[in-house]
Amino acid sequence: QMDLCIEAFGTSKQKRALNSRRINAVGNDILSTAVTKAATNIIVAKGVTALMQDVAQDDVQNVSIFLPPCNEDADKPENVYKFEDILSPAEYEALRVPAAVFVNITPEEITKKTEDKSHCAFVLEELKFLPADEKTRDHKARCLWFLDTLIKFSYLKVIKKKHPMGPECPHIISRKLMKNFTSLTYNNGSVQNLVSASMKAKITAYVIALALHINNFQTDLTVLQNDMKLQESRMMDIAKAMRLKVSKAKGLPGLEDDQNHKLGTLSLPLPVQKASGSQRKRKKMN
């Protein structure tokens, strides 16, 4: 009962402790008896409503916890969310081989991939504008390949394969995805890797950060929101937590007048987060 209580109402710290305990003490009857008694005491003492409010508040704090490292004293936008904090030099080097398919892509292949929807919309659009310069073309191709992989990884729920993104994904990238973008969960006597809601928020934040580097620190959040299959409110919460200025996108290529796209811009000085009087949840998203 205590386990179920923590799963439903516990904080992130409590859930991590629960996972650790399950891994290291499966089947411990004495502990089970103790936590059953504790569950009753907690529920009686605090009440279900208060526990649910704690969970809601913890979920908001998770948005800030899972953002890429932010350098608030940065002297230019590219140093706010440093590229090396998104992709290490070794990970970036490993992307050279799989990203070659983008480096050498033809307009005909882009058209076919668009028809097949084999990549996310953001990537398909950016592939149309690869630089002619060999070095910058290769750099953008690597970034797009990783961004596409991140988004596809976010669609997964329980990770059952050792290399969930296929054999073409470098081992170091697979390890990064499993280590940094999944939570451990316990089910049917085994430990599993799960892309939880908080992990999807983390993936979204890293996708936004990478898209900003790709697009000179201004990007269409609505396109990314659709690719990530998120509600607009969730996307806006993450973007604002990342200190982006959000505005309506006007005059962008391919946008019709009736499409209400949101544009996210990373510029200095970073905007100060303001607590919303009507929405208590946003008070801790500084």
Side-chain angles (χ1 to χ4, degrees), residues 96-227:
R96 179 178 57 83
V97 173
V101 66
F102 285 172
V103 173
N104 303 313
I105 200 167
T106 65
E108 293 76 21
E109 289 173 329
I110 295 175
T111 300
K112 187 176 186 308
K113 286 181 179 294
T114 302
E115 292 172 353
D116 297 340
K117 296 182 179 179
S118 56
H119 301 290
C120 65
F122 177 89
V123 169
L124 289 170
E125 185 64 22
E126 290 298 325
L127 285 174
K128 299 175 183 177
F129 305 102
L130 287 175
D133 176 73
E134 183 178 344
K135 185 176 181 179
T136 53
R137 186 182 183 91
D138 174 64
H139 173 73
K140 185 172 183 178
R142 297 191 202 196
C143 293
L144 290 175
W145 194 93
F146 181 64
L147 186 144
D148 190 64
T149 300
L150 265 180
I151 291 177
K152 289 176 179 176
F153 188 76
S154 75
Y155 299 159
L156 304 178
K157 298 298 181 183
V158 177
I159 314 298
K160 298 180 179 179
K161 300 178 181 178
K162 188 175 181 180
H163 301 288
M165 304 313 295
E168 70 277 5
C169 184
H171 178 68
I172 190 174
I173 300 298
S174 292
R175 190 167 66 246
K176 178 186 184 72
L177 295 174
M178 296 294 283
K179 179 180 178 181
N180 296 325
F181 299 107
T182 66
S183 301
L184 287 179
T185 186
Y186 183 81
N187 186 41
N188 294 330
S190 63
V191 177
Q192 296 176 330
N193 290 87
L194 175 74
V195 181
S196 62
S198 58
M199 285 295 108
K200 183 153 186 171
K202 182 176 182 180
I203 292 173
T204 302
Y206 276 74
V207 163
I208 292 174
L210 188 53
L212 289 168
H213 277 275
I214 292 171
N215 279 339
N216 197 27
F217 303 98
Q218 186 176 76
T219 193
D220 190 325
L221 295 172
T222 303
V223 172
L224 293 176
Q225 169 203 321
N226 292 335
D227 282 335

Side-chain angles (χ1 to χ4, degrees), residues 24-94:
N24 296 304
V26 175
N28 190 320
D29 293 335
I30 297 175
L31 182 58
S32 178
T33 302
V35 295
T36 298
K37 183 178 179 180
T40 303
N41 293 338
I42 288 173
I43 294 173
V44 170
K46 193 161 189 177
V48 173
T49 301
L51 287 169
M52 292 178 69
Q53 289 175 347
D54 286 350
V55 173
Q57 192 62 42
D58 184 64
D59 180 62
V60 176
Q61 292 176 11
N62 283 345
V63 175
S64 296
I65 291 170
F66 293 127
L67 298 182
C70 177
N71 177 18
E72 296 191 2
D73 299 322
D75 56 346
K76 43 189 176 181
E78 53 263 43
N79 289 334
V80 176
Y81 297 106
K82 293 183 179 180
F83 188 79
E84 310 86 70
D85 290 328
I86 304 171
L87 281 168
S88 71
E91 292 161 353
Y92 181 78
E93 176 57 30

